[in-house]
Amino acid sequence: FYFRNKHRPFLLFVSLLHVHTPLITTEKFQGRSRHGPYGDNVEEMDWMVGMLLDVIEKEGLKNNTFIYFASDHGGFLEARRGNAQLGGWNGIYKGGKGMGGWEGGIRVPGIIRWPGVLPAGAVTSELTSLMDIFPTVVDLAGGAVPKDRVIDGHTLMPLLQGKVRDSRHEFMFHYCGVFLHAVRWHQKDSGTIWKAHYATPVFQPEASGACFGRGICPCFGDGVTHHDPPLLFDLSQDPSEENPLSADTEPL
């Protein structure tokens, strides 16, 4: 692929089976990690990505290749073998894979590399979306996104280059399947990030933070609770979504 395309623009999309259950790991990486099968799978994925980056460097393409590494959802909490967690860990964030609203299901880190164009070691906490990849790629290719429809994503380049400080996503809508579960509003004048949940999964057991009884949380039906008024959180102060606000606690 590289040899055919290294002298012209190319798009390489790699959708890794890692770190997805059933965590297929080659013999070379089994038992390498202190974190069980999931850690072994992470280490093998790291090695695979490293092999790709090595080829890009060897072919002299490092300084003109935009690389974006991310995941499409948070860790899968219900995936277990005995007491071993097979599906990752979401840190301070509530919920996980298959939950269209809780932060643990939708908030993932992104790592971007483009030496000579983007500063090394820069960190932004601004929220972007995987929907931004399409307009970013179009922007880098010198094209224009279609004007005959609404495009939900925005090019990431101004944010990554430090030309703007805020993500262009003032509002973000979080779906579980085709059902709207939550929406966030980044209130630009105050910097506050509000999040309203219209539906949340029913955890089994109730305090477990996951749907162990079902194997994964459903998006609709008797497996979700509808909230009217919605559950409201101030993510700037409560990123773990532990303390829903009320008119008494938050007059605004």
Side-chain angles (χ1 to χ4, degrees):
F1 174 86
Y2 287 107
F3 297 112
R4 290 200 313 271
N5 293 280
K6 69 178 186 177
H7 297 302
R8 59 185 179 181
F10 63 83
L11 172 67
L12 175 63
F13 175 75
V14 181
S15 184
L16 293 160
L17 181 64
H18 302 58
V19 290
H20 202 289
T21 52
L23 300 180
I24 294 166
T25 311
T26 60
E27 203 170 334
K28 177 183 171 186
F29 285 90
Q30 289 172 16
R32 282 268 293 265
S33 163
R34 291 178 299 166
H35 300 284
Y38 188 87
D40 294 346
N41 210 237
V42 170
E43 292 210 12
E44 185 164 37
M45 176 181 66
D46 182 58
W47 172 79
M48 293 164 73
V49 172
M51 294 287 282
L52 282 169
L53 297 183
D54 286 347
V55 173
I56 289 171
E57 192 150 348
K58 184 175 140 207
E59 296 298 327
L61 298 171
K62 183 173 81 170
N63 288 349
N64 56 351
T65 302
F66 176 90
I67 295 167
Y68 185 7
F69 177 84
S71 176
D72 58 343
H73 55 70
F76 182 14
L77 300 180
E78 292 84 3
R80 289 170 178 255
R81 186 184 297 151
N83 289 326
Q85 167 63 277
L86 295 186
W89 179 67
N90 298 319
I92 66 168
Y93 302 112
K94 182 179 285 187
K97 175 184 175 177
M99 304 184 208
W102 294 121
E103 290 290 282
I106 55 179
R107 182 191 284 250
V108 296
I111 303 171
I112 294 169
R113 188 182 86 155
W114 193 359
V117 177
L118 303 178
V123 177
T124 177
S125 58
E126 285 293 294
L127 206 75
T128 62
S129 165
L130 291 181
M131 294 186 293
D132 295 329
I133 295 175
F134 168 62
T136 302
V137 168
V138 171
D139 182 17
L140 294 176
V145 296
K147 297 286 191 282
D148 61 344
R149 70 205 73 180
V150 174
I151 301 294
D152 292 307
H154 306 288
T155 176
L156 293 170
M157 291 311 295
L159 183 65
L160 296 175
Q161 292 175 304
K163 294 177 180 176
V164 298
R165 290 179 57 190
D166 294 329
S167 162
R168 285 182 62 189
H169 293 283
E170 183 180 359
F171 293 93
M172 292 189 82
F173 298 87
H174 304 301
Y175 286 82
C176 185
V178 297
F179 301 93
L180 179 66
H181 274 212
V183 60
R184 84 178 61 216
W185 174 33
H186 186 179
Q187 192 177 1
K188 301 292 184 186
D189 55 353
S190 69
T192 305
I193 300 170
W194 307 98
K195 179 134 161 254
H197 288 261
Y198 302 102
T200 55
V202 177
F203 292 146
Q204 300 169 318
E206 193 175 336
S208 66
C211 298
F212 294 113
R214 293 174 180 261
I216 195 164
C217 291
C219 295
F220 64 95
D222 63 359
V224 303
T225 301
H226 293 274
H227 302 282
D228 185 13
L231 292 179
L232 181 65
F233 297 93
D234 175 357
L235 291 186
S236 357
Q237 303 296 323
D238 180 22
S240 299
E241 299 175 286
E242 294 291 345
N243 305 300
L245 302 174
S246 68
D248 298 326
T249 58
E250 178 50 78
L252 177 62

